[in-house]
Amino acid sequence: MTRADVVRALNEEYARLREENIRRREARVDEVIAADPALEPLVHSGAALFQRQARMLLAHPEQAEALARQTRQEAAANDRALRARLKALGYPEDYLDPIYRCPVCRDKGYVGDPVREDCACFRQRLAQRLYDEAYMGTGSAQTFATYDESIFPDDEKVDGVRTQRQRSLAVRDLCLEYARSCPASIRPGLLLMGNTGLGKTFLLNCVQNLLIERGFAPVKVTGYRLFEAMRGAHFGEAEKEAEFRQMIGCDILLIDDLGTEPLMQNITREYLFTLLNERQTQQKHTVLATNLNHTDLMNRYGERVLSRLMDSMSVQTLELKGRDLRLFGRRK
Ligand SMILES: [Zn+2]
């Protein structure tokens, strides 16, 4: 895929997401009205108010300002009444607010009018896609056999003892050992940490490919895909719920890029904890890769999730250190 293809695909993805947002909100509207039919006029009051304003404006253009003010006040009053009623029914107050993943661009992917600029969320996704396109397209070729330590700088010590190459090799050996001995690995969990561009995804693919070679069927997802499944499960989407259950129940789960997914209230932390806890209780194998350090993980997910992520009894934590290979420019 060329850059233009990647941009087009990403734009289509945003368009689908917006449709999905609207569909989900409409489903909520139907649900709430079914629970309390008296709410229907209140839910649709916005449109009625503005239709009335438009009519009156035509008849009394000199009162434009007063009309607009009156409409705003009535809309605010309706909104307050709606929120109070939702709360009384046991729903969150903002249950019928517009739904979107990115509060900045509201999932349009750009900001600014009339001069459009890509939203930060779009830029971040695009960079990731282009990187994946360049380096990850060959995920199946990323094996311990093709692992090339010569791409790592070998000049200065990165942890006081070893150079980046030496440290990377040590981490590789432990990953190899983990994948070789699975399901008898000493600890069923493996957490790969380190900044971007140190080769975490490559190692994750090596582990995955060796496991496949050995006859296992590991499930690999990104943090974002996991989040989508968690969010879908939360909102009762059957397909996503099934996907999330599979992630909980599969024998070996690999999660790449944990920490790049959205942090959504009542979902991200809660469902991630459920997933990790269930898998740990059942002694299932889980391999995670994250750019976040200990403090970031703590701040983002809280103590309960962290205790599962870094539980030294059942998780081996490996940290890569050094210079970003993408900036270092030696990665082929
Ligand atoms: Zn955005």
Side-chain angles (χ1 to χ4, degrees):
M1 281 211 268
T2 64
R3 187 180 197 281
D5 291 333
V6 177
V7 170
R8 194 178 312 116
L10 198 54
N11 272 318
E12 284 166 8
E13 218 177 281
Y14 271 73
R16 279 198 301 277
L17 177 63
R18 289 194 300 276
E19 285 167 18
E20 169 79 7
N21 292 342
I22 291 169
R23 200 186 54 70
R24 276 178 42 218
R25 182 179 177 272
E26 281 171 354
R28 288 184 179 186
V29 167
D30 292 346
E31 181 195 341
V32 165
I33 290 175
D36 182 3
L39 267 177
E40 180 155 18
L42 212 47
V43 170
H44 295 122
S45 64
L49 271 180
F50 285 100
Q51 277 165 20
R52 195 198 61 191
Q53 186 192 359
R55 265 199 320 275
M56 290 176 68
L57 199 55
L58 274 180
H60 309 281
E62 73 287 355
Q63 293 174 22
E65 222 170 282
L67 277 170
R69 192 168 53 241
Q70 189 195 347
T71 304
R72 272 200 308 275
Q73 282 166 356
E74 284 183 39
N78 284 342
D79 191 52
R80 278 195 301 275
L82 179 62
R83 282 169 192 272
R85 188 63 199 139
L86 283 171
K87 204 174 166 188
L89 285 168
Y91 289 103
E93 275 185 9
D94 59 1
Y95 194 58
L96 297 184
D97 288 1
I99 296 171
Y100 38 78
R101 179 175 66 192
C102 173
V104 179
C105 68
R106 300 193 163 199
D107 298 342
K108 290 200 301 286
Y110 60 85
V111 289
D113 187 29
V115 182
R116 289 184 181 186
E117 194 186 324
D118 287 345
C119 180
C121 73
F122 191 89
R123 285 201 307 272
Q124 191 193 346
R125 283 198 169 73
L126 181 60
Q128 183 66 47
R129 293 294 160 84
L130 291 171
Y131 176 71
D132 288 352
E133 198 55 37
Y135 297 115
M136 307 303 161
T138 53
S140 62
Q142 297 183 336
T143 65
F144 288 111
T146 62
Y147 185 95
D148 175 11
E149 67 267 28
S150 74
I151 62 171
F152 297 103
D154 199 27
D155 43 8
E156 47 195 71
K157 293 187 168 68
V158 289
D159 54 13
V161 186
R162 290 165 296 189
T163 64
Q164 183 169 353
R165 186 176 301 169
Q166 289 165 338
R167 189 176 172 106
S168 301
L169 268 177
V171 169
R172 182 208 62 180
D173 288 346
L174 290 165
C175 288
L176 177 61
E177 177 57 28
Y178 175 88
R180 246 187 208 152
S181 54
C182 181
S185 324
I186 300 168
R187 283 174 279 192
L190 186 65
L191 176 64
L192 280 171
M193 297 171 77
N195 297 333
T196 44
L198 299 183
K200 291 187 303 297
T201 298
F202 193 103
L203 278 174
L204 204 68
N205 287 334
C206 293
V207 169
Q208 180 189 20
N209 287 322
L210 181 54
L211 289 169
I212 291 171
E213 218 177 285
R214 294 187 55 225
F216 295 101
V219 172
K220 192 172 92 178
V221 297
T222 58
Y224 189 72
R225 173 98 178 273
L226 168 64
F227 169 76
E228 290 279 83
M230 300 193 296
R231 187 175 65 176
H234 184 73
F235 291 112
E237 294 166 29
E239 209 175 296
K240 298 285 181 194
E241 197 183 322
E243 205 181 322
F244 186 55
R245 282 187 194 286
Q246 194 212 6
M247 293 176 192
I248 290 182
C250 65
D251 288 331
I252 307 171
L253 179 68
L254 296 96
I255 305 173
D256 197 7
D257 271 337
L258 183 76
T260 57
E261 74 286 343
L263 193 58
M264 203 168 169
Q265 229 182 3
N266 301 327
I267 298 184
T268 311
R269 289 178 170 184
E270 288 75 3
Y271 282 73
L272 182 60
F273 180 77
T274 301
L275 176 102
L276 296 172
N277 190 56
E278 292 269 323
R279 293 191 60 81
Q280 240 163 57
T281 307
Q282 298 173 48
Q283 292 279 304
K284 289 181 181 294
H285 281 58
T286 312
V287 186
L288 300 116
T290 181
N291 295 338
L292 303 179
N293 63 29
H294 186 277
T295 311
D296 297 335
L297 287 170
M298 177 70 192
N299 291 339
R300 184 174 172 82
Y301 297 118
E303 202 175 334
R304 283 199 327 150
V305 171
L306 195 71
S307 73
R308 291 297 179 277
L309 272 176
M310 302 190 93
D311 171 30
S312 60
M313 294 294 284
S314 59
V315 182
Q316 183 172 25
T317 301
L318 303 175
E319 190 180 358
L320 290 161
K321 287 187 175 178
R323 280 176 271 170
D324 185 336
L325 294 177
R326 287 177 285 179
L327 306 179
F328 192 61
R330 286 189 57 187
R331 189 153 196 172
K332 291 166 221 91

